[in-house]
């Protein structure tokens, strides 16, 4: 049986606490934070903590909000884009076979959960396996449907449908 590297989802403070204790859950990190508003200091949820850059071998930082595609863009907020999905997949493929992945957004419920499903899929899980694996570690996960739709368009997958189906 092929070794399946872990793909772990966290809220930002939860992951910060683990990293502060020296408990690094995986060598590679996808950090999803809010888009930064440039005319003021970044808020806590608009930046990847500096400790993460030292703790992980590879870090991908993305800036998008937990809002649907049709939401008007106000205050710098923006939904995930197809380019964001491509960057996640490229990062996962470039480090596949070299260790597991940790992912975080502010709460570890929507954006990072969807990103985890995309990574699990490109690492060889089916859509249903990716969703079940996500729910096994984050039972309250509600993956961002817009990001899943971008993965589906790129990969020809059915991740959005798997995450929307009760009992997957």
């Amino acid at each position: 049986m092929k070794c399946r590297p872990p793909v772990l989802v966290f809220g930002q403070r939860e992951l910060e606490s683990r990293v502060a204790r020296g408990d690094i859950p995986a060598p590679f990190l996808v950090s999803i934070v809010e888009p930064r508003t440039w005319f003021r200091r970044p808020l806590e949820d608009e930046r990847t903590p500096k400790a993460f850059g030292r703790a992980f071998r590879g870090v991908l930082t993305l800036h998008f909000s937990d809002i649907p595609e049709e939401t008007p863009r106000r205050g710098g907020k923006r939904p995930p884009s197809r380019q964001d999905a491509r960057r996640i997949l490229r990062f996962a493929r470039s480090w596949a076979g070299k260790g597991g992945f940790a992912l975080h957004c502010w709460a570890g419920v929507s954006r990072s959960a969807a990103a985890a499903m995309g990574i699990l899929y490109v690492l060889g899980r089916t859509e249903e396996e990716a969703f079940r694996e996500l729910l096994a570690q984050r039972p309250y996960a509600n993956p961002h449907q817009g990001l899943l739709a971008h993965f589906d368009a790129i990969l020809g997958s059915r991740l959005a449908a798997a995450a929307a189906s009760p009992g997957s």
Side-chain angles (χ1 to χ4, degrees):
M1 187 166 114
K2 191 175 180 181
C3 176
R4 292 184 164 200
V7 177
L8 306 168
V9 176
F10 301 92
Q12 183 168 316
R13 288 192 175 141
E14 177 186 7
L15 186 56
E16 282 181 288
S17 176
R18 285 187 70 161
V19 168
R21 294 190 313 266
D23 180 11
I24 311 306
F28 307 107
L29 173 67
V30 175
S31 175
I32 303 172
V33 296
E34 285 291 325
R36 185 169 172 203
T37 304
W38 295 105
F39 55 85
R40 60 169 166 68
R41 283 184 72 142
L43 300 174
E44 189 175 7
D45 65 345
E46 294 175 339
R47 61 177 174 74
T48 298
K50 288 182 183 172
F52 290 2
R54 295 185 296 272
F56 294 91
R57 285 189 8 214
V59 177
L60 170 65
T61 299
L62 298 166
H63 297 267
F64 58 84
S65 305
D66 186 11
I67 59 174
E69 189 72 35
E70 59 277 2
T71 303
R73 292 174 172 101
R74 290 194 182 118
K77 293 190 177 294
R78 72 168 187 84
S81 68
R82 182 89 32 103
Q83 182 60 28
D84 293 319
R86 282 191 192 97
R87 290 182 67 201
I88 292 165
L89 297 173
R90 191 175 319 120
F91 184 78
R93 287 176 175 138
S94 71
W95 294 112
K98 296 177 178 77
F101 296 87
L103 298 93
H104 88 86
C105 59
W106 186 248
V109 173
S110 179
R111 295 171 290 172
S112 57
M117 283 187 67
I119 291 174
L120 287 164
Y121 185 79
V122 299
L123 294 179
R125 276 69 151 195
T126 67
E127 294 90 336
E128 291 76 18
E129 287 171 335
F131 189 53
R132 281 194 304 270
E133 195 169 321
L134 171 66
L135 290 181
Q137 64 171 298
R138 301 297 268 199
Y140 46 86
N142 183 16
H144 193 285
Q145 285 293 307
L147 183 54
L148 292 178
H150 289 310
F151 288 138
D152 289 346
I154 295 165
L155 300 168
S157 59
R158 299 174 295 101
L159 293 166
S165 298
S168 283

